[in-house]
Amino acid sequence: MVVLPLPIIIHPVTLFFIIFFAFSALAKAERYSVLSYGAKPDGKTDSTKAFAAAWSRACASTKPAMIYVPQGRFYLGQVRFQGPCMNHAILLRIDGTLVAPSDYKVIGNAKNWLLFEHVNGVTVSGGTLDGQGAGLWSCKNSGKGCPSGATSLEFSNSNNIAISGLASLNSQLFHIVINGCQNVKMQGVKVSAAGNSPNTDGLHVQSSTGVTILNSRIGTGDDCVSIGPGTSNLWIENVACGPGHGISIGSLGKESPEAGVQNVTVKTTTFTGTQNGLRIKSWGRPSNGFARHILFQHAVMNNVQNPIVIDQNYCPGEKNCPG
């Protein structure tokens, strides 16, 4: 039996003060425009150092800080937004588009394009991430030796994170990864990649607790949302998926000692033209991993090949299967 928490009711006056103080904090925030550090919105000039410099200033500020990215296209190599920082209120406000190198070899072995690590209280709001992953997809589909690819955006070992109104296009690998984090809220996220793009999971959550995904639209060549070992207290609501492989827990049990997945709610979802709808997949080998207290509710399936799949003998490629 799944026991759901009672809804939290906030009095309108209380909500007014929460909003008022949030806007007051933003009004007092130190503002760091990436243009001030040499970034160019022409889609060609390498603005990696400018973004890193703006982050360094914001991270070192003792006051709430806003990094501002105006309209235009900003070409970026790999950027590591490292913490811990002096303050726990940094807003990355994006009005433009961040553009990855079109040559996949530049960041193809970097694992991440944009990485936030050991940060607390960071919000990413608005904007578009253009991963330009089509070249790598073609390489992989040709069977040639290719880099594994870079995840477009990852938060690792971080707390109190918000991602709002962000669009992610054509990532080389996963679009957004939440790894080893606590208290993360994603809402109004749009993810888009071709239906035949390999390993382009939309949102991936692992080793994290207290993650909420709301009001988002995801279409990729792999899972719309993938849920890995060590995930607990995950809430997914009002998500549209398609194309893609559905919303998947796992694969689990790949390792003998493995953290489990528990307290996952997926409700009010729509799947259109997907390979799967709701899926739990585990390898056929001994493991102490588990999936428990899972609730799938109010799902609408349109032209879905496998609406509900529970696979306890998962083995992609069907070669050397352990079960």
Side-chain angles (χ1 to χ4, degrees):
M1 181 179 70
V2 178
V3 179
L4 299 179
L6 293 174
I8 299 174
I9 300 174
I10 301 177
H11 192 277
V13 175
T14 304
L15 182 60
F16 168 80
F17 280 109
I18 291 173
I19 296 173
F20 175 79
F21 284 117
F23 277 102
S24 297
L26 182 60
K28 296 177 182 178
E30 299 282 354
R31 181 184 171 105
Y32 303 96
S33 170
V34 295
L35 298 180
S36 301
Y37 299 92
K40 303 293 183 183
D42 58 10
K44 300 177 181 179
T45 303
D46 190 341
S47 298
T48 306
K49 291 183 179 179
F51 274 68
W55 171 259
S56 294
R57 291 294 302 274
C59 185
S61 173
T62 57
K63 299 179 180 179
M66 177 173 68
I67 300 171
Y68 179 61
V69 182
Q71 292 184 358
R73 293 175 63 82
F74 294 85
Y75 174 93
L76 294 176
Q78 185 189 40
V79 186
R80 300 174 70 93
F81 301 94
Q82 293 280 72
C85 296
M86 294 295 292
N87 75 76
H88 296 162
I90 297 178
L91 168 65
L92 175 58
R93 171 66 193 181
I94 307 172
D95 284 343
T97 299
L98 311 187
V99 185
S102 57
D103 181 356
Y104 60 81
K105 296 176 184 176
V106 176
I107 61 171
N109 288 314
K111 294 186 179 179
N112 309 96
W113 176 30
L114 309 174
L115 172 64
F116 289 84
E117 193 169 25
H118 301 295
V119 299
N120 188 355
V122 169
T123 297
V124 178
S125 176
T128 300
L129 309 180
D130 185 353
Q132 299 211 92
L136 181 60
W137 307 341
S138 296
C139 179
K140 288 183 175 181
N141 289 329
S142 71
K144 299 177 182 177
C146 312
S148 58
T151 289
S152 283
L153 174 64
E154 177 172 340
F155 278 88
S156 180
N157 299 308
S158 299
N159 300 328
N160 305 313
I161 304 303
I163 302 172
S164 176
L166 178 70
S168 179
L169 309 177
N170 301 329
S171 180
Q172 288 187 2
L173 201 65
F174 293 9
H175 283 77
I176 301 175
V177 169
I178 305 299
N179 174 44
C181 296
Q182 293 186 356
N183 189 22
V184 179
K185 184 173 184 179
M186 292 184 276
Q187 60 180 342
V189 173
K190 296 181 180 179
V191 174
S192 179
N196 63 347
S197 56
N199 306 119
T200 54
D201 296 48
L203 310 179
H204 178 73
V205 181
Q206 65 183 29
S207 302
S208 299
T209 185
V211 178
T212 302
I213 300 169
L214 302 174
N215 309 326
S216 296
R217 180 176 295 275
I218 305 167
T220 76
D222 211 298
D223 293 328
C224 292
V225 182
S226 53
I227 302 160
T231 299
S232 63
N233 300 329
L234 171 64
W235 189 282
I236 300 172
E237 185 173 2
N238 194 24
V239 168
C241 172
H245 294 178
I247 294 178
S248 298
I249 296 176
S251 59
L252 304 178
K254 192 168 186 179
E255 306 296 335
S256 177
E258 184 180 273
V261 173
Q262 60 185 334
N263 300 333
V264 175
T265 298
V266 181
K267 63 181 297 186
T268 319
T269 49
T270 302
F271 300 85
T272 304
T274 55
Q275 183 186 74
N276 308 294
L278 303 164
R279 177 166 63 155
I280 302 174
K281 51 182 178 175
S282 61
W283 290 78
R285 60 161 59 92
S287 171
N288 62 359
F290 57 82
R292 65 188 180 209
H293 299 161
I294 312 297
L295 175 64
F296 297 139
Q297 188 178 49
H298 304 314
V300 176
M301 310 279 181
N302 300 311
N303 191 28
V304 175
Q305 294 179 37
N306 308 298
I308 298 174
V309 180
I310 299 177
D311 180 3
Q312 293 182 283
N313 195 26
Y314 177 72
C315 184
E318 300 299 326
K319 293 182 180 179
N320 302 315
C321 298

